Amino acid sequence: MRRYLGLLFTYRSREGTVAWLFHRISGLAIWAFLVLHVLDIYLVGDNPGAYDDILRFYASPVGRVLEVLLGAALLYHALNGLRIVIIDLWPSMAQYHKVLWRASWVIFILLGLPGAAIILLPLYRDSLTSLLHTLGIN
Amino acid sequence: MQISPKSKGRAKPSGSRVEIFIWYFMRLSGVALFVLALAHFSILHFIYDPSKETADFILGQRWSELFWRVNDWLLLTLVVLHSTFGVRTVVNDYLHSPRGRVITLSLLYILTLLLLAGGTMAVASAGAPGA
């Protein structure tokens, strides 16, 4: 484990190594959720009550934080995967690999931050309503 | 200029037709999943909210149209196969004993078949009379 964590911090660590490590970790995380997700969706027809119970967990504060992490893994894996496809299918793009890497992080932040906000905001709906009320806006 | 070999994807394999097929499949299904998986996540987390996505919502609204059942089945199939091949690569990277590989990959492929069968049953028959 130390050896693999060390990869992140040693002098050999470059954009490509970090990209590869994150791609692997996010891929395994999405796969783990996929197994859970097929199980829960199976319950829709088989045991709707149990499915609704799982859904209540997904909508809970802990569930929403986990959804933000899942969304981040999905978005990173998708963007970095597209970068890999571009370089593999058009090898001349390899000279721009650092630009592609930085661009993927810009898109990650631009799409990811509002996405995370939309998922987490329902947890603060009550406080937001009372804040607006106090300010006399609503 | 120096380019880290890891900046590229895994080198395209030569020789084995199975390996070349998987190499292309990962890239083509990856592009399809870029659209399908991100759209799926966006619809069910940004447009709708999990607090509203009860079994009634899925059967009465989302899966009341054949289009979404077919769409979800396509997503299921592609994501299960894409992740199976991905985990296979991870297993082969870290497990070197032939025995360990055969056992681990067999378990992986059994899980894959269960996911495809269970997911297909769910998306095809949930809410159907008598199901």
Side-chain angles (χ1 to χ4, degrees), chain B:
Chain B
M1 124 170 234
Q2 194 184 4
I3 293 167
S4 158
K6 288 291 185 196
S7 298
K8 288 159 55 66
R10 194 156 286 255
K12 186 176 167 185
S14 54
S16 162
R17 295 173 90 165
V18 174
E19 295 300 327
I20 293 172
F21 170 79
I22 292 177
W23 190 89
Y24 276 109
F25 178 84
M26 287 310 269
R27 281 146 189 81
L28 292 175
S29 63
V31 172
L33 285 167
F34 187 97
V35 177
L36 285 174
L38 290 183
H40 178 77
F41 189 91
S42 302
I43 292 168
L44 294 163
H45 292 271
F46 303 151
I47 297 179
Y48 298 99
D49 188 85
S51 61
K52 306 274 192 307
E53 290 158 11
T54 58
D56 283 345
F57 164 84
I58 297 199
L59 296 175
Q61 229 180 308
R62 186 161 165 84
W63 281 358
S64 64
E65 283 175 64
L66 184 63
F67 173 84
W68 287 111
R69 291 207 191 227
V70 174
N71 176 89
D72 287 357
W73 182 79
L74 189 63
L75 172 61
L76 168 86
T77 308
L78 287 177
V79 80
V80 168
L81 293 177
H82 185 96
S83 58
T84 298
F85 291 141
V87 175
R88 171 183 175 273
T89 300
V90 176
V91 170
N92 284 334
D93 272 358
Y94 297 122
L95 277 185
H96 299 300
S97 89
R99 211 177 114 88
R101 275 187 187 177
V102 168
I103 293 171
T104 313
L105 290 178
S106 301
L107 291 173
L108 172 67
Y109 298 150
I110 291 170
L111 177 61
T112 297
L113 290 177
L114 286 173
L115 291 174
L116 283 177
T120 301
M121 272 169 70
V123 77
S125 71

Side-chain angles (χ1 to χ4, degrees), chain A residues 36-81:
Chain A
L36 173 68
H37 194 34
V38 172
L39 274 174
D40 73 48
I41 217 69
Y42 188 83
L43 292 173
V44 168
D46 216 46
N47 188 346
Y51 171 78
D52 288 349
D53 286 340
I54 296 177
L55 248 281
R56 263 190 286 280
F57 168 71
Y58 288 165
S60 73
V62 176
R64 284 180 191 275
V65 171
L66 290 172
E67 274 156 37
V68 169
L69 291 175
L70 172 69
L74 203 59
L75 184 57
Y76 173 79
H77 200 85
L79 289 169
N80 189 58

